[in-house]
Amino acid sequence: MSATQALPLIPLPEAKAGDLARLVEGLDPSALWWLSGYAAGLASQPVARAVSAALAKEPAAALRLSVVYGSQTGNAKRLAEQFAQKAEAAGLQVRLLRADAYPTRELKSERLLVLVVSTQGDGEPPDDARGLVEFLLGKRAPELKELKFGVLGLGDSSYPQFCEIGRRLDARLAELGGTRLLDRADADVDIDSIARPWAERALQLVREQARSHAPLATVTPLRPAATAAWSREKPFAAEVIANQRITARQSDKDIRHIELSLDGSGLSYEPGDALGLWPRNPPALVDAVLAQLKLDGNAPVRIAETTQPLRLWLSEQRELTRLSRPLIAQHAALSGAAELNRLLSPDHSAQLQKLLAEYQIIDLLRAWPAAWTADEFVAALRPLTPRLYSIASSQKVVGEEAHLTVAHVAYEAFGSAHWGTASHYLANQGEAGRVPVFVEHNERFRLPRDASRDVVMIGPGTGVAPFRGFVQERAATGATGRNWLLFGNPHARSDFLYQLEWQDALKRGQLARLDLAFSRDQADKVYVQHRLREHGAELYRWIDGGAHVYVCGDATRMAKDVHAALIEVAVTHGGKSLEDATAYVNQLQQQGRYARDVY
């Protein structure tokens, strides 16, 4: 086909084209690949014979399994994908759906459902599961007497409402008449230790249900699944090509702009995706822990089938900066500390949360000494997990690179230096250093497909990172929609991240608006949510005209305050009641026009 020759129109009647659009709506990439392969298989043989053969191999009465996930950082998605792939390989009919793509009208006809859902912050659902959670917990949820289900909850036991969403959904499905295939499992940050055996048992039970309903099909994939050369389990060693502090010396914050080379990796990303990093603990911290416990770093420690020196476990395999409730409980038992045991009682949860927030493991060991053996200590620690950083670049502009905006966590507490594991690891990398990374795709945080749509980007602090990639992408693709950025930090003179880039983007027309909130440059603190209210009339015009709204940053306060401000704007400038304004903002979220990347 010549460069000027037009592509053919879709060779389908209008009604069939509409059916096709409805069919693929909400499907994730793996489902779309399977569907394309299935269609290719049908196209390779006479239609009547292909259809009859497909029906013969897959009886109409076969039982279908729905695997639904609600994920904020990608862990629930990863586990759901793995479970769905294993179920399909076992001969089951499977559909994998993100929670906000699940057609709730079909819930009443479900027979087999596996739900994988995380809990965020203070017992809240991930953004992509809010609609489904609201539906299930509400009055419109149907009776589910024919349903057999299993729920895997993900969370962090450092928070008081650990796996609360999984617990509530499990209880509600049973209340609606559903029957548990197996008991709910609550996976802590050490996800796989709970999730793997639960998934194995769930798969066995699902197969038994399907087999009793109809013989399992023999599945022969028409298109082999694409396997990335580099992944979470097999990260790429990316070279550091820039590590630059972008806050002034007088700033209280040490924020770095870091550029990594992906040359030769084949890794690709879109604006809104994150880069996963496998960090290492600071050597000084490892030395301090060994000294406090009077343990030999060269002592061999065997966990499961792996034997390696204690120092290697503590440097590369175990969390040393994040306390957990189970570790505190074990340490309290070993130390016999009455105060620690008191904090673990239900009526002292606030004090326990304060300890979890302020203390690192070394502080616990120093404050309440106890005699740990090397094997016991390693077994009690959580596995080191990757950290995710929003990518601050567009690949259309930077090529085989990924840029990050990283706040280096370094402070004094209890008389000694403290660090954040991943940020300190990155901040101390010189040029030509290499760090293990992978791409974590985030389908929920994407620029609008319609490039004429306006976008509003709300990103205080390092939350501005993905919006640097958004603006680069929109400029590179010639998007005609307007871009509005709201950015905040403590001081304009020392903390205005990417100041020259934003000012240049304004001059070039790549930003239509730039509103700033420097909280400590005046007597009254001003944050991005104040700017939203201040410019509420214009903001509502943008949103009501079809704009997409994006929020990135701290989930505990900023994101909640921004959400409340958006509702207030809809009340004040949209003439809505509080109830209608709340429903309006929630509907924007369900439509994908209000997306959050919060942590």
Side-chain angles (χ1 to χ4, degrees):
M1 180 180 292
S2 69
T4 58
Q5 186 177 349
L7 291 170
L9 297 174
I10 298 175
L12 296 174
E14 184 176 347
K16 293 293 185 183
D19 290 342
L20 178 61
R22 286 187 290 274
L23 172 65
V24 301
E25 182 180 3
L27 295 182
D28 65 356
S30 62
L32 290 170
W33 274 115
W34 181 91
L35 187 61
S36 68
Y38 179 77
L42 293 180
S44 67
Q45 52 188 302
V47 174
R49 181 160 54 87
V51 172
S52 62
L55 291 174
K57 289 182 180 180
E58 191 171 38
L63 197 61
R64 181 186 65 189
L65 167 67
S66 291
V67 181
V68 179
Y69 65 87
S71 184
Q72 193 73 32
T73 62
N75 286 322
K77 176 186 176 184
R78 173 174 57 86
L79 293 173
E81 288 175 341
Q82 290 173 355
F83 186 84
Q85 289 167 2
K86 290 179 180 178
E88 187 176 47
L92 291 155
Q93 288 189 46
V94 184
R95 65 170 177 172
L96 174 67
L97 293 167
R98 199 171 67 199
D100 56 3
Y102 181 79
T104 54
R105 65 184 180 277
E106 295 182 11
L107 183 61
K108 61 185 177 183
S109 61
E110 284 285 8
R111 296 296 177 264
L112 274 178
L113 173 67
V114 166
L115 182 59
V116 186
V117 63
S118 62
T119 295
Q120 307 306 309
D122 190 20
E124 295 192 2
D127 285 347
D128 59 9
R130 288 180 181 274
L132 180 60
V133 171
E134 181 180 331
F135 175 80
L136 280 171
L137 299 181
K139 296 179 180 179
R140 294 183 178 179
E143 288 190 351
L144 302 172
K145 294 181 179 179
E146 301 297 321
L147 177 69
K148 291 183 172 58
F149 70 92
V151 176
L152 174 60
L154 276 61
D156 184 338
S157 62
S158 299
Y159 291 90
Q161 298 197 59
F162 173 57
C163 288
E164 174 68 10
I165 298 304
R167 184 194 66 77
R168 293 177 69 187
L169 293 183
D170 177 75
R172 180 58 169 161
L173 290 171
E175 181 184 349
L176 293 169
T179 302
R180 292 183 181 90
L181 283 165
L182 72 171
D183 289 340
R184 183 190 81 251
D186 296 335
D188 205 339
V189 175
D190 179 12
I191 297 171
D192 288 342
S193 65
I194 297 296
R196 184 179 293 114
W198 184 91
E200 290 173 356
R201 178 59 177 156
L203 181 58
Q204 177 186 354
L205 294 169
V206 165
R207 291 190 67 186
E208 290 174 3
Q209 289 294 320
R211 187 178 289 111
S212 66
H213 190 272
L216 295 180
T218 300
V219 176
T220 303
L222 293 172
R223 181 189 297 271
T227 302
W230 308 104
S231 64
R232 186 180 191 274
E233 291 72 27
K234 185 183 176 183
F236 173 72
E239 182 181 354
V240 178
I241 52 180
N243 182 348
Q244 175 187 1
R245 177 168 172 153
I246 56 174
T247 45
R249 290 183 180 180
Q250 67 267 31
S251 174
D252 294 333
K253 299 183 176 185
D254 175 8
I255 297 179
R256 304 296 180 93
H257 173 75
I258 293 175
E259 299 180 2
L260 303 174
S261 172
L262 304 180
D263 187 26
S265 69
L267 288 172
S268 63
Y269 61 86
E270 294 184 44
D273 287 341
L275 200 71
L277 168 78
W278 284 99
R280 294 181 181 177
N281 286 307
L285 177 59
V286 174
D287 289 340
V289 168
L290 290 170
Q292 179 62 33
L293 293 177
K294 298 181 174 60
L295 294 174
D296 179 6
N298 296 318
V301 174
R302 182 178 178 84
I303 301 294
E305 300 301 318
T306 302
T307 301
Q308 55 189 4
L310 173 59
R311 181 179 295 278
L312 187 59
W313 280 110
L314 299 184
S315 297
E316 301 180 16
Q317 305 292 327
R318 289 295 184 264
E319 292 282 1
L320 280 188
T321 58
R322 294 178 173 179
L323 263 182
S324 67
R325 193 183 191 283
L327 178 63
I328 294 173
Q330 287 182 277
H331 191 72
L334 275 177
S335 66
E339 184 180 1
L340 276 184
N341 282 298
R342 180 178 58 83
L343 290 178
L344 291 165
S345 63
D347 53 340
H348 289 86
S349 60
Q351 293 94 320
L352 178 62
Q353 289 308 306
K354 189 172 187 295
L355 178 73
L356 287 164
E358 296 179 357
Y359 279 59
Q360 290 190 353
I361 290 172
I362 185 63
D363 306 316
L364 180 78
L365 300 179
R366 287 170 173 165
W368 296 278
W372 285 89
T373 68
D375 292 70
E376 288 172 339
F377 187 61
V378 172
L381 295 174
R382 290 170 163 179
L384 191 63
T385 56
R387 277 33 170 191
L388 300 180
Y389 290 97
S390 298
I391 298 176
S393 55
S394 162
Q395 219 163 6
K396 290 183 175 64
V397 174
V398 303
E400 291 190 276
E401 296 178 10
H403 298 179
L404 306 177
T405 310
V406 178
H408 179 202
V409 178
Y411 60 97
E412 291 285 326
F414 308 107
S416 65
H418 287 60
W419 304 280
T421 301
S423 66
H424 191 65
Y425 176 59
L426 280 172
N428 282 278
Q429 293 293 325
E431 292 186 14
R434 289 187 176 271
V435 294
V437 301
F438 60 94
V439 173
E440 184 72 34
H441 297 291
N442 187 355
E443 302 296 336
R444 293 180 297 101
F445 208 72
R446 288 278 185 264
L447 283 165
R449 292 181 181 179
D450 181 353
S452 68
R453 292 290 186 102
D454 297 332
V455 299
V456 179
M457 301 166 286
I458 305 162
T462 56
V464 79
F467 304 134
R468 183 173 182 265
F470 275 26
V471 172
Q472 287 182 357
E473 180 86 1
R474 299 264 281 182
T477 58
T480 57
R482 297 173 295 174
N483 302 320
W484 181 354
L485 175 65
L486 294 102
F487 169 74
N489 236 351
H491 300 287
R493 292 189 64 181
S494 57
D495 306 314
F496 192 170
L497 308 184
Y498 302 113
Q499 177 180 0
L500 296 180
E501 290 189 27
W502 300 132
Q503 291 173 339
D504 185 59
L506 273 173
K507 291 177 183 177
R508 293 173 178 269
Q510 296 166 359
L511 276 180
R513 289 194 63 145
L514 174 62
D515 285 285
L516 305 168
F518 293 107
S519 57
R520 289 165 178 77
D521 278 351
Q522 59 283 311
D524 296 327
K525 292 181 180 178
V526 177
Y527 299 106
V528 287
Q529 57 267 27
H530 297 121
R531 295 296 185 226
L532 292 174
R533 294 185 178 95
E534 181 182 337
H535 303 295
E538 181 69 4
L539 176 63
Y540 187 78
R541 280 194 292 271
W542 277 51
I543 296 173
D544 203 45
H548 287 229
V549 179
Y550 301 89
V551 181
C552 182
D554 174 42
T556 54
R557 292 190 59 183
M558 181 278 296
K560 291 181 179 179
D561 290 341
V562 165
H563 189 85
L566 291 173
I567 292 173
E568 187 177 323
V569 165
V571 170
T572 305
H573 302 284
K576 302 178 187 299
S577 67
L578 179 60
E579 182 180 359
D580 288 345
T582 302
Y584 174 75
V585 173
N586 288 341
Q587 186 179 36
L588 291 176
Q589 201 162 25
Q590 292 167 13
Q591 293 171 346
R593 288 182 50 211
Y594 169 31
R596 309 193 310 171
D597 183 9
V598 296
Y599 40 83

